[in-house]
Amino acid sequence: MERGEFTPIEGQAQLVWHDDHPGVSAYLDRCQVFTPEKWIARLWELIGARRTEIGNVVEFGAGDGRFSRSGTFTSYTGYEVDEKLVRGAVLGRDSKLLRECAFSSDVHDADVCIGNPPYVRNQDLPGGWRETVAPKLATRTGVRISGLANAWQYFMFLALASTKKNGLVAQIVPYEWVSRPSAQALRDFIKANGWSVDVYRLPDTVFGRVLTTASFTIIDKAGTGRWSYFDYEPAIDSFKKSKTASLSSHKIVEYRRDADRTTSVKRGLSPGTQKVLVLTEGERVRHGLQIGRDVVPAVTTLRHLEHNTLSLSKAVFKRNFVDAGMRCWLIRSDEVLSRDLQLYLESIPEAERATSTCSNRDIWWKFVMPQIPKGLVSMGFRGAAPKCLLNEVGARAVGGVAGLYCLTKTEGERALTAIRGFNFHGRIIPYSTGLLKLEVNQLNTVLDSLLQEAK
């Protein structure tokens, strides 16, 4: 086969998912991020250093098939559900691109599985996607994937299941997978099989609009179980080996769940869709919703606040959230709906609430109302430590803002001071462009230690 061929979808009875399935078009809009040719070539170089001869290559979520245009192999088969990309694809030699769902395939003997699988949050997966895909992977791998797993993890398990016993998996995935709890099952599966792993952190400039630090992750099934980590050095345009996954002299802060705490941080509420269920002041007024009866104060971000803001007072909340047009009013799902709130919720088009969370509820908008925390902590931050505020206005913590829960205001002040004084740099995985992102159980690990030291 001298040039790549296109195999149309017509007659493909084994298709599991396609681009006109409800919710899939929004999914495709989120996940179609293209890899620059330079970095595709770099990944093929790393593959070539491990395999001198490569037979059949497979790619799931292949986009326009650009990974087929580099590397040396006997054959390449890509799977892609987006018809526009398939019809416009320009493939390399000995390559074909199938307009099929990756999870309809039964590949099991690939020498290499390469690619950049879709990065879509678990909350944004199309309705029924997880329920369709997860059982197929469980049959092939014996692993039940966490409901918190993002789309790329499903593709990673598929890649591992589709390669030979001595095969190679080379994927571009978030670097944070090396430590995040949501990827624990993936790490455990790899370790249980004794495969070797090399993870290369990519510069943030590779995918400019993506707010996640990417990596080349290469899993060698013929390896010895060794894990190695590399960081990109711009000065030498190459990768330098690191002793730790944190790419620093420090170990990554542990994720601890076992302690019974009177003072602890808990994840912010995920209401299903902030766009609909957390309103701006203008939206609240326009729909006639009353504070207290229909909505309560909420904070979804602390990003725009100054670092020296230590308390969320009524004045700070009004100036920086209400008057600034931020989403700061969470609907009350714990009371009988007023006529105004009922009319507002009925006015929401189905497309605007078509998230996985909302779709899986008996009542799409009904969530368990969180308690009011003593403090608010931003889980994503720049600098040495996250922004922390004493919660004087009684706002609920939503999304990337976590809540600090304790018995008294004094305990809250002590805990927030301790968090502000700790240097997290080099102790947690970089998220993107200087942004660090904590997990609540990491923060609780640090908080336990700091409060014990203060006694």
Coordinates of all heavy atoms in Angstrom, one line a residue, residues 42-127:
R42 N 9.5 13.6 17.7 CA 10.2 13.3 18.9 C 9.8 12.0 19.6 O 10.6 11.3 20.1 CB 10.1 14.5 19.9 CG 10.7 15.8 19.4 CD 12.2 15.8 19.3 NE 12.9 15.8 20.6 CZ 13.3 17.0 21.2 NH1 13.0 18.1 20.7 NH2 13.9 16.9 22.4
L43 N 8.5 11.8 19.6 CA 7.9 10.6 20.2 C 8.4 9.4 19.4 O 8.8 8.4 20.0 CB 6.4 10.7 20.3 CG 5.7 9.5 21.0 CD1 6.3 9.2 22.4 CD2 4.2 9.7 21.1
W44 N 8.3 9.5 18.1 CA 8.8 8.4 17.3 C 10.3 8.1 17.5 O 10.7 7.0 17.5 CB 8.5 8.7 15.8 CG 7.2 8.3 15.4 CD1 6.1 9.1 15.0 CD2 6.7 6.9 15.2 NE1 5.0 8.3 14.6 CE2 5.4 7.0 14.8 CE3 7.2 5.7 15.5 CZ2 4.6 5.9 14.6 CZ3 6.5 4.5 15.3 CH2 5.2 4.6 14.8
E45 N 11.1 9.1 17.8 CA 12.5 8.9 18.1 C 12.7 8.1 19.3 O 13.5 7.2 19.4 CB 13.2 10.3 18.3 CG 13.4 11.1 17.0 CD 14.0 12.5 17.2 OE1 14.3 12.7 18.4 OE2 14.0 13.3 16.3
L46 N 11.9 8.4 20.4 CA 11.9 7.6 21.6 C 11.5 6.2 21.4 O 12.1 5.3 22.0 CB 11.1 8.3 22.7 CG 11.6 9.7 23.1 CD1 10.5 10.3 24.0 CD2 12.9 9.6 23.9
I47 N 10.5 6.0 20.5 CA 10.1 4.6 20.2 C 11.2 3.9 19.5 O 11.5 2.7 19.8 CB 8.8 4.7 19.4 CG1 7.6 5.2 20.2 CG2 8.4 3.3 18.8 CD1 6.4 5.5 19.4
G48 N 11.8 4.6 18.5 CA 12.9 4.0 17.7 C 14.1 3.6 18.5 O 14.8 2.6 18.2
A49 N 14.3 4.3 19.6 CA 15.4 3.9 20.5 C 15.1 2.7 21.3 O 16.1 2.0 21.8 CB 15.6 5.1 21.5
R50 N 13.9 2.2 21.3 CA 13.5 1.0 22.1 C 13.2 -0.2 21.1 O 13.2 -1.3 21.6 CB 12.3 1.3 22.9 CG 12.6 2.3 24.1 CD 11.3 2.9 24.7 NE 11.6 3.7 25.9 CZ 12.1 4.9 25.9 NH1 12.3 5.5 24.7 NH2 12.3 5.5 27.0
R51 N 12.8 0.1 19.9 CA 12.4 -0.9 18.9 C 13.1 -0.6 17.6 O 12.8 0.4 17.0 CB 10.9 -1.0 18.8 CG 10.2 -1.4 20.0 CD 10.4 -2.8 20.4 NE 9.5 -3.2 21.5 CZ 9.7 -3.0 22.8 NH1 10.8 -2.4 23.2 NH2 8.8 -3.5 23.7
T52 N 14.0 -1.5 17.1 CA 14.6 -1.2 15.8 C 13.7 -1.6 14.7 O 13.8 -1.1 13.6 CB 15.9 -2.0 15.7 OG1 15.7 -3.4 16.0 CG2 16.9 -1.4 16.7
E53 N 12.8 -2.6 14.9 CA 11.9 -3.0 13.9 C 10.5 -3.0 14.5 O 10.2 -3.5 15.5 CB 12.2 -4.5 13.4 CG 13.5 -4.6 12.7 CD 13.8 -6.0 12.1 OE1 12.8 -6.8 12.2 OE2 14.8 -6.2 11.6
I54 N 9.6 -2.3 13.8 CA 8.2 -2.2 14.2 C 7.3 -2.7 13.2 O 7.3 -2.3 12.0 CB 7.9 -0.7 14.5 CG1 8.8 -0.1 15.6 CG2 6.4 -0.5 14.9 CD1 8.7 1.3 15.8
G55 N 6.4 -3.6 13.5 CA 5.4 -4.2 12.6 C 4.2 -3.4 12.5 O 4.2 -2.3 11.9
N56 N 3.1 -3.8 13.1 CA 1.9 -3.1 13.0 C 1.7 -2.1 14.2 O 1.9 -2.4 15.3 CB 0.7 -4.1 13.0 CG 0.6 -5.0 14.2 OD1 1.6 -5.4 14.7 ND2 -0.6 -5.3 14.6
V57 N 1.3 -0.9 13.8 CA 1.0 0.2 14.7 C -0.5 0.5 14.7 O -1.1 0.5 13.7 CB 1.8 1.5 14.3 CG1 1.5 2.6 15.2 CG2 3.3 1.2 14.3
V58 N -1.0 0.8 15.9 CA -2.4 1.1 16.0 C -2.5 2.4 16.8 O -1.7 2.7 17.7 CB -3.3 0.0 16.7 CG1 -2.8 -0.1 18.2 CG2 -4.8 0.3 16.6
E59 N -3.5 3.2 16.4 CA -3.8 4.5 17.2 C -5.3 4.6 17.4 O -6.1 4.5 16.4 CB -3.3 5.7 16.4 CG -3.5 7.0 17.2 CD -3.0 8.2 16.4 OE1 -2.5 8.1 15.3 OE2 -3.1 9.3 17.0
F60 N -5.7 4.9 18.6 CA -7.1 5.0 19.0 C -7.4 6.5 19.2 O -6.6 7.2 20.0 CB -7.4 4.2 20.2 CG -7.2 2.7 20.0 CD1 -6.3 2.1 20.8 CD2 -7.9 2.0 19.1 CE1 -6.0 0.7 20.6 CE2 -7.7 0.7 18.9 CZ -6.8 0.0 19.6
G61 N -8.4 7.0 18.6 CA -8.7 8.5 18.7 C -7.6 9.2 17.9 O -6.9 10.1 18.3
A62 N -7.5 8.8 16.6 CA -6.4 9.1 15.7 C -6.5 10.5 15.1 O -5.5 10.9 14.5 CB -6.2 8.1 14.6
G63 N -7.6 11.2 15.3 CA -7.7 12.5 14.7 C -7.6 12.5 13.2 O -8.3 11.7 12.5
D64 N -6.6 13.3 12.6 CA -6.4 13.3 11.2 C -5.3 12.3 10.7 O -4.8 12.4 9.6 CB -6.1 14.7 10.7 CG -4.9 15.3 11.3 OD1 -4.2 14.6 12.1 OD2 -4.6 16.5 11.1
G65 N -4.9 11.4 11.7 CA -3.9 10.4 11.3 C -2.5 10.9 11.2 O -1.6 10.2 10.6
R66 N -2.2 12.1 11.8 CA -0.9 12.7 11.6 C 0.3 11.8 12.2 O 1.4 12.0 11.8 CB -0.9 14.1 12.2 CG -1.2 14.2 13.7 CD -1.2 15.7 14.1 NE -2.1 16.4 13.3 CZ -2.1 17.8 13.2 NH1 -1.2 18.5 13.9 NH2 -3.0 18.4 12.5
F67 N 0.0 11.0 13.2 CA 1.0 10.1 13.7 C 1.5 9.1 12.7 O 2.6 8.5 12.9 CB 0.5 9.4 15.0 CG 0.6 10.3 16.2 CD1 -0.5 11.1 16.6 CD2 1.7 10.2 17.1 CE1 -0.4 11.9 17.7 CE2 1.8 11.0 18.2 CZ 0.7 11.9 18.5
S68 N 0.7 8.9 11.7 CA 1.1 7.9 10.6 C 2.2 8.5 9.7 O 2.8 7.8 8.9 CB -0.1 7.5 9.8 OG -0.5 8.5 9.0
R69 N 2.4 9.8 9.7 CA 3.3 10.5 8.8 C 4.7 10.5 9.3 O 5.6 11.1 8.6 CB 2.8 11.9 8.5 CG 1.3 11.9 7.9 CD 1.0 13.2 7.2 NE 0.9 14.3 8.1 CZ -0.2 14.8 8.6 NH1 -1.4 14.2 8.3 NH2 -0.3 15.9 9.3
S70 N 5.0 10.0 10.5 CA 6.4 9.9 10.9 C 6.6 8.4 11.3 O 5.7 7.6 11.3 CB 6.6 10.8 12.2 OG 6.5 12.1 11.8
G71 N 7.9 8.1 11.6 CA 8.2 6.7 12.1 C 8.3 5.8 10.9 O 7.9 6.0 9.8
T72 N 8.9 4.6 11.3 CA 9.1 3.5 10.3 C 8.4 2.3 10.8 O 8.7 1.8 11.9 CB 10.6 3.3 10.1 OG1 11.2 4.5 9.6 CG2 10.8 2.2 9.0
F73 N 7.5 1.7 10.1 CA 6.7 0.6 10.5 C 6.2 -0.2 9.3 O 6.2 0.3 8.2 CB 5.5 1.0 11.4 CG 4.8 2.2 10.8 CD1 3.9 2.1 9.8 CD2 5.0 3.5 11.3 CE1 3.2 3.2 9.3 CE2 4.4 4.6 10.8 CZ 3.4 4.5 9.8
T74 N 5.6 -1.4 9.5 CA 5.1 -2.2 8.4 C 3.7 -1.7 8.1 O 3.3 -1.6 6.9 CB 5.0 -3.6 8.8 OG1 6.4 -4.1 9.2 CG2 4.5 -4.5 7.7
S75 N 2.9 -1.4 9.1 CA 1.5 -0.9 8.8 C 1.0 -0.1 10.0 O 1.5 -0.2 11.1 CB 0.6 -2.1 8.6 OG 0.4 -2.9 9.8
Y76 N 0.1 0.8 9.7 CA -0.6 1.7 10.7 C -2.1 1.6 10.4 O -2.6 1.7 9.3 CB -0.1 3.1 10.5 CG -0.9 4.2 11.2 CD1 -0.6 4.6 12.5 CD2 -2.1 4.7 10.6 CE1 -1.3 5.6 13.1 CE2 -2.8 5.6 11.2 CZ -2.5 6.1 12.5 OH -3.2 7.1 13.1
T77 N -2.8 1.5 11.5 CA -4.3 1.5 11.5 C -4.8 2.5 12.6 O -4.4 2.3 13.8 CB -4.9 0.2 11.8 OG1 -4.5 -0.8 10.8 CG2 -6.5 0.3 11.7
G78 N -5.5 3.5 12.1 CA -6.0 4.5 13.1 C -7.5 4.4 13.2 O -8.2 4.0 12.2
Y79 N -8.1 4.7 14.4 CA -9.5 4.7 14.6 C -10.0 6.1 15.0 O -9.4 6.7 15.9 CB -9.9 3.7 15.7 CG -9.7 2.3 15.4 CD1 -8.4 1.7 15.4 CD2 -10.8 1.5 15.0 CE1 -8.2 0.4 15.1 CE2 -10.6 0.1 14.7 CZ -9.3 -0.4 14.7 OH -9.1 -1.7 14.4
E80 N -11.0 6.6 14.3 CA -11.5 8.0 14.6 C -13.0 8.1 14.3 O -13.4 7.6 13.3 CB -10.7 9.0 13.8 CG -11.2 10.4 13.9 CD -11.2 10.9 15.3 OE1 -10.1 10.8 16.0 OE2 -12.2 11.5 15.8
V81 N -13.7 8.7 15.2 CA -15.2 8.8 15.0 C -15.6 10.1 14.3 O -16.7 10.2 13.9 CB -15.9 8.7 16.3 CG1 -15.7 7.3 16.9 CG2 -15.6 9.8 17.3
D82 N -14.7 11.1 14.3 CA -15.0 12.4 13.8 C -14.9 12.4 12.2 O -13.8 12.3 11.7 CB -14.1 13.5 14.3 CG -14.6 14.9 14.0 OD1 -15.2 15.1 13.0 OD2 -14.3 15.8 14.9
E83 N -16.0 12.4 11.6 CA -16.1 12.2 10.1 C -15.3 13.3 9.4 O -14.6 13.1 8.4 CB -17.5 12.2 9.6 CG -17.6 12.0 8.1 CD -19.0 12.0 7.6 OE1 -19.9 12.3 8.4 OE2 -19.2 11.7 6.4
K84 N -15.3 14.5 9.9 CA -14.6 15.7 9.2 C -13.1 15.4 9.2 O -12.5 15.7 8.2 CB -14.9 17.0 10.0 CG -16.4 17.4 10.0 CD -16.6 18.8 10.6 CE -16.1 18.8 12.0 NZ -17.0 18.0 12.9
L85 N -12.6 14.9 10.3 CA -11.2 14.6 10.4 C -10.8 13.5 9.5 O -9.7 13.5 8.8 CB -10.7 14.4 11.8 CG -10.9 15.5 12.8 CD1 -10.4 15.1 14.2 CD2 -10.1 16.7 12.3
V86 N -11.6 12.4 9.5 CA -11.3 11.3 8.7 C -11.2 11.6 7.2 O -10.3 11.2 6.5 CB -12.3 10.1 9.0 CG1 -12.1 9.0 8.0 CG2 -12.2 9.7 10.4
R87 N -12.2 12.4 6.7 CA -12.3 12.7 5.3 C -11.2 13.6 4.9 O -10.8 13.7 3.7 CB -13.7 13.2 5.0 CG -14.8 12.2 5.2 CD -16.1 12.6 4.5 NE -17.1 11.6 4.7 CZ -17.2 10.5 4.0 NH1 -16.3 10.2 3.0 NH2 -18.2 9.6 4.2
G88 N -10.7 14.4 5.8 CA -9.6 15.4 5.5 C -8.2 14.9 5.8 O -7.3 15.6 5.7
A89 N -8.1 13.6 6.2 CA -6.8 13.1 6.6 C -5.9 12.9 5.5 O -6.2 12.5 4.4 CB -7.1 11.7 7.3
V90 N -4.6 13.2 5.8 CA -3.5 12.9 4.9 C -2.6 12.0 5.6 O -1.9 12.3 6.6 CB -2.7 14.2 4.5 CG1 -1.5 13.9 3.6 CG2 -3.6 15.2 3.8
L91 N -2.5 10.7 5.2 CA -1.8 9.7 5.9 C -0.5 9.4 5.3 O -0.1 9.7 4.2 CB -2.7 8.4 5.8 CG -4.1 8.5 6.4 CD1 -4.8 7.1 6.3 CD2 -4.1 9.0 7.8
G92 N 0.3 8.7 6.1 CA 1.6 8.3 5.7 C 1.5 7.0 4.8 O 0.4 6.5 4.6
R93 N 2.7 6.4 4.5 CA 2.7 5.2 3.7 C 2.2 4.0 4.5 O 2.3 4.0 5.7 CB 4.2 4.9 3.2 CG 4.7 5.9 2.2 CD 6.2 5.7 2.1 NE 6.5 4.3 1.7 CZ 6.7 4.0 0.4 NH1 6.5 4.8 -0.6 NH2 7.0 2.7 0.1
D94 N 1.6 3.1 3.9 CA 1.2 1.8 4.5 C 0.2 2.1 5.7 O 0.3 1.4 6.7 CB 2.4 1.0 5.0 CG 3.3 0.7 3.8 OD1 2.8 0.3 2.8 OD2 4.5 1.0 4.0
S95 N -0.7 3.1 5.5 CA -1.5 3.5 6.6 C -3.0 3.5 6.2 O -3.3 3.8 5.0 CB -1.1 4.9 7.1 OG 0.2 4.9 7.6
K96 N -3.9 3.3 7.1 CA -5.3 3.4 6.9 C -6.0 4.0 8.1 O -5.5 3.8 9.2 CB -5.9 2.1 6.5 CG -5.9 1.0 7.6 CD -6.5 -0.3 7.1 CE -6.4 -1.4 8.1 NZ -7.0 -2.7 7.6
L97 N -7.1 4.7 7.9 CA -7.8 5.4 8.9 C -9.2 4.9 8.9 O -9.9 5.1 7.8 CB -7.7 6.9 8.8 CG -8.2 7.7 9.9 CD1 -7.5 7.4 11.3 CD2 -8.0 9.2 9.6
L98 N -9.7 4.3 9.9 CA -11.1 3.7 9.9 C -12.0 4.7 10.7 O -11.7 5.2 11.8 CB -11.1 2.4 10.6 CG -10.2 1.3 10.2 CD1 -10.3 0.1 11.0 CD2 -10.4 1.0 8.7
R99 N -13.1 5.0 10.1 CA -14.1 5.8 10.8 C -14.9 4.9 11.7 O -16.0 4.5 11.4 CB -15.0 6.6 9.9 CG -15.8 7.6 10.7 CD -16.9 8.3 9.9 NE -17.9 8.9 10.8 CZ -19.2 9.1 10.6 NH1 -19.7 8.6 9.5 NH2 -19.9 9.6 11.5
E100 N -14.3 4.5 12.8 CA -14.9 3.6 13.8 C -14.6 4.0 15.2 O -13.5 4.7 15.4 CB -14.4 2.2 13.6 CG -14.8 1.5 12.3 CD -14.2 0.1 12.2 OE1 -14.1 -0.5 13.3 OE2 -14.0 -0.4 11.1
C101 N -15.5 3.7 16.1 CA -15.2 3.9 17.5 C -14.0 3.0 17.9 O -14.0 1.8 17.6 CB -16.4 3.6 18.4 SG -16.1 3.6 20.1
A102 N -13.0 3.6 18.6 CA -11.9 2.8 19.1 C -12.3 1.6 19.9 O -11.7 0.5 19.8 CB -11.0 3.7 19.9
F103 N -13.4 1.7 20.6 CA -13.8 0.6 21.5 C -14.6 -0.5 20.8 O -15.1 -1.4 21.5 CB -14.5 1.2 22.7 CG -13.6 2.1 23.5 CD1 -13.5 3.5 23.3 CD2 -12.8 1.6 24.5 CE1 -12.7 4.3 24.0 CE2 -11.9 2.4 25.2 CZ -11.9 3.8 25.0
S104 N -14.8 -0.3 19.5 CA -15.4 -1.4 18.7 C -14.4 -2.3 18.2 O -14.7 -3.3 17.6 CB -16.2 -0.8 17.6 OG -15.4 -0.2 16.6
S105 N -13.1 -1.9 18.4 CA -12.0 -2.7 17.8 C -11.8 -4.0 18.7 O -12.1 -4.0 19.9 CB -10.7 -1.9 17.7 OG -10.2 -1.7 19.0
D106 N -11.1 -4.9 18.1 CA -10.7 -6.1 18.8 C -9.2 -6.4 18.6 O -8.7 -7.5 18.4 CB -11.5 -7.3 18.4 CG -11.3 -8.5 19.3 OD1 -11.0 -8.3 20.5 OD2 -11.4 -9.7 18.8
V107 N -8.4 -5.3 18.5 CA -7.0 -5.4 18.3 C -6.3 -6.0 19.6 O -6.7 -5.6 20.7 CB -6.4 -4.1 18.0 CG1 -4.9 -4.2 17.8 CG2 -7.0 -3.4 16.8
H108 N -5.4 -7.0 19.4 CA -4.7 -7.6 20.5 C -3.3 -7.9 20.2 O -2.6 -8.4 21.1 CB -5.4 -8.8 20.9 CG -5.5 -9.9 19.9 ND1 -6.5 -9.9 18.9 CD2 -4.7 -10.9 19.6 CE1 -6.3 -10.9 18.1 NE2 -5.2 -11.5 18.5
D109 N -2.8 -7.6 19.0 CA -1.5 -8.0 18.6 C -0.6 -6.8 18.0 O 0.3 -7.0 17.2 CB -1.5 -9.1 17.6 CG -2.3 -8.7 16.3 OD1 -2.9 -7.7 16.3 OD2 -2.2 -9.5 15.4
A110 N -1.0 -5.6 18.4 CA -0.2 -4.5 17.9 C 1.2 -4.5 18.5 O 1.4 -4.8 19.7 CB -0.9 -3.2 18.2
D111 N 2.2 -4.1 17.7 CA 3.6 -4.0 18.2 C 3.7 -2.7 19.0 O 4.4 -2.6 20.0 CB 4.6 -4.0 17.1 CG 4.6 -5.3 16.4 OD1 5.1 -6.3 17.0 OD2 4.2 -5.4 15.2
V112 N 3.0 -1.6 18.5 CA 3.1 -0.3 19.1 C 1.7 0.3 19.1 O 1.0 0.2 18.1 CB 4.1 0.6 18.4 CG1 4.0 2.1 19.0 CG2 5.5 0.1 18.6
C113 N 1.3 0.9 20.2 CA 0.1 1.7 20.2 C 0.5 3.2 20.5 O 1.0 3.4 21.6 CB -1.0 1.2 21.2 SG -2.5 2.2 21.2
I114 N 0.3 4.0 19.6 CA 0.8 5.4 19.7 C -0.4 6.4 19.7 O -1.5 6.0 19.3 CB 1.8 5.8 18.5 CG1 2.6 7.0 18.8 CG2 1.0 5.9 17.2 CD1 3.7 7.3 17.8
G115 N -0.2 7.6 20.2 CA -1.3 8.6 20.0 C -1.4 9.6 21.1 O -0.6 9.6 22.1
N116 N -2.3 10.5 20.9 CA -2.7 11.5 21.9 C -4.2 11.4 22.2 O -5.0 12.0 21.5 CB -2.4 12.9 21.3 CG -2.7 14.0 22.2 OD1 -3.1 13.8 23.3 ND2 -2.4 15.3 21.7
P117 N -4.5 10.5 23.1 CA -5.9 10.2 23.4 C -6.7 11.5 23.9 O -6.1 12.4 24.4 CB -5.9 9.2 24.5 CG -4.6 9.3 25.1 CD -3.6 9.8 24.1
P118 N -8.0 11.5 23.7 CA -8.8 12.7 24.1 C -8.7 13.0 25.6 O -8.8 12.1 26.4 CB -10.2 12.3 23.6 CG -10.2 10.9 23.5 CD -8.8 10.5 23.1
Y119 N -8.5 14.3 25.9 CA -8.6 14.7 27.3 C -9.9 15.3 27.5 O -10.2 16.5 27.2 CB -7.5 15.7 27.6 CG -7.5 16.0 29.1 CD1 -6.9 15.2 30.1 CD2 -8.1 17.2 29.5 CE1 -6.9 15.5 31.4 CE2 -8.1 17.5 30.9 CZ -7.5 16.7 31.8 OH -7.6 17.0 33.1
V120 N -10.9 14.6 28.1 CA -12.2 15.1 28.5 C -12.5 14.7 29.9 O -12.3 13.5 30.3 CB -13.3 14.5 27.5 CG1 -14.7 15.0 27.9 CG2 -13.0 14.9 26.1
R121 N -12.9 15.6 30.7 CA -13.2 15.3 32.1 C -14.3 14.3 32.3 O -15.2 14.3 31.4 CB -13.5 16.6 32.9 CG -12.5 17.7 32.9 CD -12.9 18.9 33.7 NE -14.3 19.3 33.4 CZ -15.1 19.9 34.3 NH1 -14.7 20.2 35.5 NH2 -16.3 20.3 33.9
N122 N -14.3 13.6 33.4 CA -15.3 12.6 33.6 C -16.7 13.2 33.6 O -17.7 12.6 33.2 CB -15.0 11.8 34.8 CG -15.2 12.6 36.1 OD1 -16.2 12.8 36.7 ND2 -14.0 13.1 36.6
Q123 N -16.8 14.5 34.1 CA -18.1 15.1 34.1 C -18.6 15.5 32.8 O -19.8 15.7 32.6 CB -18.0 16.4 34.9 CG -17.5 16.3 36.4 CD -16.0 16.5 36.5 OE1 -15.2 16.1 35.6 NE2 -15.6 17.2 37.5
D124 N -17.7 15.5 31.8 CA -18.2 16.0 30.4 C -18.3 14.8 29.4 O -18.5 15.1 28.2 CB -17.1 17.0 29.9 CG -17.1 18.3 30.7 OD1 -18.2 18.6 31.2 OD2 -16.0 18.9 30.9
L125 N -18.1 13.6 29.9 CA -18.3 12.5 29.0 C -19.7 12.4 28.5 O -20.7 12.6 29.3 CB -17.9 11.2 29.7 CG -16.4 11.0 30.0 CD1 -16.1 9.8 30.9 CD2 -15.6 10.9 28.7
P126 N -20.0 12.0 27.3 CA -21.4 11.9 26.8 C -22.2 10.8 27.6 O -21.6 9.9 28.1 CB -21.2 11.4 25.4 CG -19.8 11.7 25.0 CD -19.0 11.7 26.3
G127 N -23.4 11.1 27.8 CA -24.3 10.2 28.6 C -24.2 8.8 28.0 O -24.4 8.5 26.8

